[in-house]
Amino acid sequence: SPFNLETCARPNILALEPYRCARDDYKDDGTNVLLDANENAYGPSLPASAVSGTGTGAGSDSGPGFDLLGLHRYPDPHQNDLKQLLCNLRTTHAHTAKALTPTNLAVGVGSDESIDALLRCFCTPGRDRILVCPPTYGMYSVSAQVNDVGLVKVPLLPAPTFALDVPSILAVLTSDPTIKLIYLCSPGNPTGSLLSKSDIAQILAHPTWNGVVIVDEAYVDFSPSPSDSLAEWVLEHPNLVVTQTLSKAFGLAGIRLGAAFTSPPIARLLNALKAPYNISVPTSALASAAVSPAGLEVMRKNVAALAKQRNRLLEALPKIKGIGRLRGGTASNFLLYEILNAKGKPDNATALAVYQRLAELKGVVVRFRGKEHGCEGCLRITVGTEEEVTRFLAALEEAIGEVH
Ligand code: PMP
């Protein structure tokens, strides 16, 4: 591989001396008197009403599974226990005989933190650029703008495949050495389609490009098979990062926990540049519970229930007059549908009017994805509960009738 971390990453990040605390050397194991971190020894200022009625300690079935009275201490900056659980979750040996280890991982405040951290790690502001493939997740370009990093777009092939335009991507990577990162999304948002593994392999096999491939797998646990995850590919590819999150299939958007699987040298840089205590004690405890065997059982049950409602939408939506084609795939917890105008053609203005009517008159909020997002006149509909889907279907039929 032409990838060379020493010439690809930013020099200031390569030279970075990460923040160190005394507890890197002397552990918080209950035996030491800890007067090193300017914590408040008198405890958290939580009123009794917030503390009582909640269990303390892992295994309690009445409480959150962590000690509220211990929250005056900083969290573990390395999160090795949580990282090991996340590695176990993604080690299948399906792709390789090797196992993922905590050296392959950086955890962040949602995958949004990793998306941004990679830009700060590799892209020099005002000089470097990233490649994105619209329609895709909006934060890649927002983070690029925040970091004063340029954006090159190679759109996905037209719906319904929404596949990568591999020849165009390879050509752009050949001709533009300022591109340091390519952000791919699989299953895609808003497309709901899995990208082809052989297409991603072709990009990783680029003969001259010195850059990093990011595969955003925020929705991978909704896809039909867990082996759809490319996390283990990081054991073979030094310039691959696979990001995942507990916000979607695990239903924990509120705790903000994301994971970036990658080669140990890139993981080391991501860990060096992060804020030292980015993962809070409650987040860490709840994330560990979610990826435990009992947590996985709940996740799979919820994903199965959701798939049932997704199938219900797939059956019911085409019967509504004014609904166009399903665009993209069904590998996620949302569907992308065209909205037709009175003449039977998809158009932005009609979809936008239906979107606004749904929200303002029916109290049902979906997402408008139009020409400006790379899809003409579409709505992206998150799969809800049975009751929510019922309410949405009735509201949509009315809203389209009123707009036509
Ligand atoms: N990637 C994709 C494709 C997403 O759709 C989202 C959330 N909308 C994220 C990443 C960010 O998720 P989080 O920061 O909650 O992990």
Side-chain angles (χ1 to χ4, degrees), residues 110-112 137 185 189 216 218-219 245 247-248 256:
S111 36
D112 283 341
Y137 181 43
C185 191
N189 173 7
D216 180 340
Y219 298 96
T245 178
S247 297
K248 309 295 179 182
R256 313 303 301 130

Side-chain angles (χ1 to χ4, degrees), residues 270-292:
L270 292 175
N271 284 310
L273 71 78
K274 77 179 179 66
Y277 307 111
N278 60 336
I279 307 301
S280 76
V281 169
T283 292
S284 186
L286 294 167
S288 298
V291 297
S292 71

Side-chain angles (χ1 to χ4, degrees), residues 7-8 122-124 127-130 152 170-181 206 208-212:
T7 54
C8 188
F122 287 98
C123 299
T124 298
R127 187 193 76 183
D128 289 336
R129 310 208 274 176
I130 66 166
V152 179
L170 296 180
V172 167
L173 295 179
T174 302
S175 66
D176 186 348
T178 68
I179 296 176
K180 292 297 184 68
L181 308 173
H206 193 291
T208 58
W209 179 57
N210 182 17
V212 174

Side-chain angles (χ1 to χ4, degrees), residues 41-74:
Y42 294 85
S45 66
L46 292 171
S49 59
V51 177
S52 65
T54 58
T56 54
S60 161
D61 51 9
S62 62
F66 56 87
D67 180 2
L68 285 173
L69 296 175
L71 290 180
H72 62 305
R73 296 288 181 208
Y74 280 105

Side-chain angles (χ1 to χ4, degrees), residues 108-115 136-140 184-190 216-219 243-248 252-254 256-259 334 380:
V109 181
S111 36
D112 283 341
E113 185 181 12
S114 300
I115 289 166
T136 193
Y137 181 43
M139 277 306 289
Y140 315 140
L184 307 175
C185 191
S186 181
N189 173 7
D216 180 340
E217 292 189 341
Y219 298 96
T243 61
Q244 298 182 346
T245 178
L246 297 191
S247 297
K248 309 295 179 182
L252 286 166
R256 313 303 301 130
L257 194 285
F334 52 82
R380 191 196 70 193

Side-chain angles (χ1 to χ4, degrees), residues 158 162 166 186 255 298 318 331 336-337 354 364 368:
F162 283 127
V166 178
S186 181
I255 73 170
V298 179
L336 187 68
Y337 270 94
V354 170
V364 177
F368 167 71

